[in-house]
Amino acid sequence: MNRRQLLRWTAGLVPGTIALQVLAACAPSAPTAPSAAQPRGVPLAKLLPAHQPIQGPSPELPGSADGLVNPAWMKYPRASLFQSVKEPPGSGADVTVTLQTNNPPWPPFEQNAQWQALNKALNARLNPIVIPFADFDQKWAAIQAGSDLPDMMCTITRPSTPIVPAFLEAKCTDLTPYLAGDAVRDYPNLAAIPTRAWKSALVNGKIYGVPIPLAPYFWWFWVHKEILDQAGLRFPTSAAEFKETAIKVNKPRENTWAIASEGGSQYAFSTVNGLWNSVFKAPNYWAVDADGKFAYVFETPEYRQAMLYAADLFKAGLYHPNSLQYNTLSARTDFMGRKMIFRFDGLQASPYWGGYNAPPMDPPSLITLVPPFSADGVSKAVYYFGRPNFGITLIKKAADARVKELLRILNFIAAPFGSVEQQLIAYGVEGKDFTYDERDNPVLTDQGHAEIGNFGSAWYSLTRPATAYYSPADPQAPGVYQGYEKLLAPLGVEDASIGTFSPTFASKGTILLDGIGGAAQDIIAGRRSSDEWDQVVKDWQTNGGSQIKSELAASYAQLTSG
């Protein structure tokens, strides 16, 4: 992929709001590591910060009151930018922070206009420790083991990046008194972060972090609609109809297959991360019944159906032969090149694939969303929401005044779209990092690309505002995105484990997933018999799964008490 292609791919969403979603799409999509719940039975509603949206420039396409449909702007609100933070939040002191990014190293402070301007706006001397995304787990383990902690530490919410409760209790600030309930109103931009993102910031009944929120729509089922149109086919509306359609568009002799997945136990041919498990209504990772008992996706009869269905597609030769070798980026690249017709992937790295950034081909590419469908085509379809946040930012233990100062800085970084603060973080300094084009869109200069990067501002690895749709390259794209959300929001199902905690999951969840998810992948690929599945599930239960379920149930009971 060359730089021009990459810039085209990442031009679709608001800079800053896209950056962390791109990183999330590059990371393994494993179940969210459940956060620790409150052991003292404090009701969840009393712990979560009171949500209060920010009133900035009015979008042409407003979002929904519940936040499940995000606002969209057809043009940049240059003339109505507002200041969301009235006074510089810092005291002039040094502030050391960890950041993570997929961007190359940025220019040093003396040559970095954005960094200098941010320090001035904050009245703080930011000292970032920038961690390459690929090295984050190793570096994070070293940070937790160290004695000289940064003032603020970004993390990633995933099983491979564990946050040890003992570390939090010993070295990090309990932010509950500052943020729970109406207390968060002292930090209006933090109060505007969606409520679902705060659930994963709870540890042992306390708020230990400020979230880096993600929109609920993490994975999407895409199709080259131009191929369906060419063949006179409609969107599939059942599992049987999907297979019929897939057979008709599958043309291996032309180096084109019906569908592809990426390899890995966390995907298992899209039976784990939200495609076939949603079609057959297996859990969105975890489900809980009316009695508070938890069931893991792999344990259910619905998952067995999804697994056998995927195995049938594989046996029919409908999956691209590289599906076991693909990673997310390589599979995405081949999908863009129409080497497969259907693809379960993220919106994040290639927004509006059927629009301005489609590669030239005949017939012209028109990639669009496949409306969700159920296996039988009769019962209501569901869509599985993704994890609530990319990570959380921790604050090391400090005096009350210092904690408030650091929260004010995070409040600045969380400034919403349409604010002068967001423009500084997303685009840098006018005349140096960006200029306005003839339509009043901010356009990064070469210096801006060097300082902010192709994957968006690294400062957004501390926190970020809620998603806002805006596309300088294609003004129609925000309406397309929002239309997708309006379709998916009423069908959304959350992972029932969000906000709960299992110490066994924290220590063994990834290993156990590799075992059971790897077995599912092997069965689908014909490398193991489906007759082994019952024993595979029993082994997962014996090796820690049953203990995880018990711990989640206890945690859930504490969350819902009171």
Side-chain angles (χ1 to χ4, degrees), residues 224-243:
H224 276 279
K225 190 173 183 296
E226 73 278 9
I227 299 301
L228 298 187
D229 292 343
Q230 187 180 59
L233 300 170
R234 64 175 189 173
F235 290 127
T237 60
S238 68
E241 193 171 302
F242 176 82
K243 183 180 178 182

Side-chain angles (χ1 to χ4, degrees), residues 3 20 201 364 395 403 425 427 455 492 503 534 545:
R3 173 173 170 163
L20 292 173
I395 294 177
V403 172
I425 296 170
Y427 297 102
F455 289 98
D534 287 344

Side-chain angles (χ1 to χ4, degrees), residues 5-13 18 22 348-349 351 356 454-455:
Q5 288 173 318
L6 184 57
L7 295 182
R8 267 206 323 268
W9 282 22
T10 58
L13 295 179
I18 188 174
V22 169
Q348 298 87 351
Y356 64 89
N454 297 330
F455 289 98

Side-chain angles (χ1 to χ4, degrees), residues 300-314:
T300 63
E302 293 84 2
Y303 181 79
R304 177 190 285 271
Q305 293 175 332
M307 178 180 67
L308 295 179
Y309 176 77
D312 183 56
L313 298 181
F314 185 90

Side-chain angles (χ1 to χ4, degrees), residues 296-367:
Y296 198 25
V297 55
F298 297 105
E299 294 182 284
T300 63
E302 293 84 2
Y303 181 79
R304 177 190 285 271
Q305 293 175 332
M307 178 180 67
L308 295 179
Y309 176 77
D312 183 56
L313 298 181
F314 185 90
K315 186 176 181 180
L318 301 176
Y319 268 96
H320 194 289
N322 289 346
S323 289
L324 289 170
Q325 288 75 46
Y326 276 137
N327 59 33
T328 298
L329 292 179
S330 60
R332 179 177 298 150
T333 299
D334 277 1
F335 180 60
M336 289 284 288
R338 207 156 65 197
K339 294 183 179 179
M340 71 282 298
I341 306 305
F342 291 90
R343 166 90 181 122
F344 194 54
D345 202 331
L347 168 71
Q348 298 87 351
S350 301
Y352 200 23
W353 270 326
Y356 64 89
N357 58 356
M361 55 181 61
D362 184 24
S365 178
L366 180 59
I367 297 174

Side-chain angles (χ1 to χ4, degrees), residues 187-494:
Y187 313 96
N189 293 332
L190 298 185
I193 292 175
T195 299
R196 69 188 298 268
W198 287 100
K199 292 182 180 180
S200 293
L202 299 178
V203 181
N204 286 339
K206 303 172 184 178
I207 301 172
Y208 269 107
V210 172
I212 306 154
L214 292 174
Y217 314 98
F218 196 87
W219 291 95
W220 310 63
F221 196 26
W222 301 102
V223 64
H224 276 279
K225 190 173 183 296
E226 73 278 9
I227 299 301
L228 298 187
D229 292 343
Q230 187 180 59
L233 300 170
R234 64 175 189 173
F235 290 127
T237 60
S238 68
E241 193 171 302
F242 176 82
K243 183 180 178 182
E244 293 172 1
T245 301
I247 290 172
K248 291 175 182 177
V249 300
N250 195 56
K251 298 180 180 180
R253 292 184 180 181
E254 299 177 17
N255 199 29
T256 301
W257 280 262
I259 190 171
S261 179
E262 45 271 275
S265 58
Q266 68 271 41
Y267 306 109
F269 291 91
S270 303
T271 62
V272 180
N273 56 319
L275 177 54
W276 303 127
N277 52 323
S278 69
V279 168
F280 286 87
K281 299 184 180 178
N284 183 4
Y285 293 119
W286 289 97
V288 62
D289 65 16
D291 295 324
K293 295 181 180 179
F294 275 74
Y296 198 25
V297 55
F298 297 105
E299 294 182 284
T300 63
E302 293 84 2
Y303 181 79
R304 177 190 285 271
Q305 293 175 332
M307 178 180 67
L308 295 179
Y309 176 77
D312 183 56
L313 298 181
F314 185 90
K315 186 176 181 180
L318 301 176
Y319 268 96
H320 194 289
N322 289 346
S323 289
L324 289 170
Q325 288 75 46
Y326 276 137
N327 59 33
T328 298
L329 292 179
S330 60
R332 179 177 298 150
T333 299
D334 277 1
F335 180 60
M336 289 284 288
R338 207 156 65 197
K339 294 183 179 179
M340 71 282 298
I341 306 305
F342 291 90
R343 166 90 181 122
F344 194 54
D345 202 331
L347 168 71
Q348 298 87 351
S350 301
Y352 200 23
W353 270 326
Y356 64 89
N357 58 356
M361 55 181 61
D362 184 24
S365 178
L366 180 59
I367 297 174
T368 189
L369 185 75
V370 178
F373 56 88
S374 61
D376 60 14
V378 177
S379 59
K380 181 183 176 180
V382 296
Y383 171 80
Y384 286 170
F385 286 155
R387 69 202 212 202
N389 58 51
F390 186 81
I392 61 174
T393 287
L394 312 171
I395 294 177
K396 78 173 182 180
K397 284 193 173 181
D400 180 72
R402 178 63 164 174
V403 172
K404 291 179 178 178
E405 176 185 5
L406 298 176
L407 285 172
R408 291 194 300 269
I409 289 173
L410 291 173
N411 181 69
F412 185 103
I413 294 172
F417 179 74
S419 67
V420 294
E421 298 87 1
Q422 190 272 344
Q423 179 173 270
L424 173 59
I425 296 170
Y427 297 102
V429 178
E430 182 182 359
K432 295 182 180 180
D433 295 311
F434 78 92
T435 58
Y436 288 106
D437 67 13
E438 67 280 0
R439 293 182 295 159
D440 283 343
N441 292 310
V443 179
L444 292 180
T445 62
D446 288 343
Q447 180 176 348
H449 281 299
E451 293 180 7
I452 296 165
N454 297 330
F455 289 98
S457 177
W459 301 109
Y460 280 136
S461 60
L462 290 173
T463 188
R464 46 167 281 182
T467 298
Y469 289 129
Y470 154 70
S471 173
D474 187 339
Q476 303 307 310
V480 175
Y481 306 147
Q482 195 186 76
Y484 291 160
E485 291 190 346
K486 289 179 178 179
L487 171 67
L488 299 177
L491 309 178
V493 175
E494 291 276 19

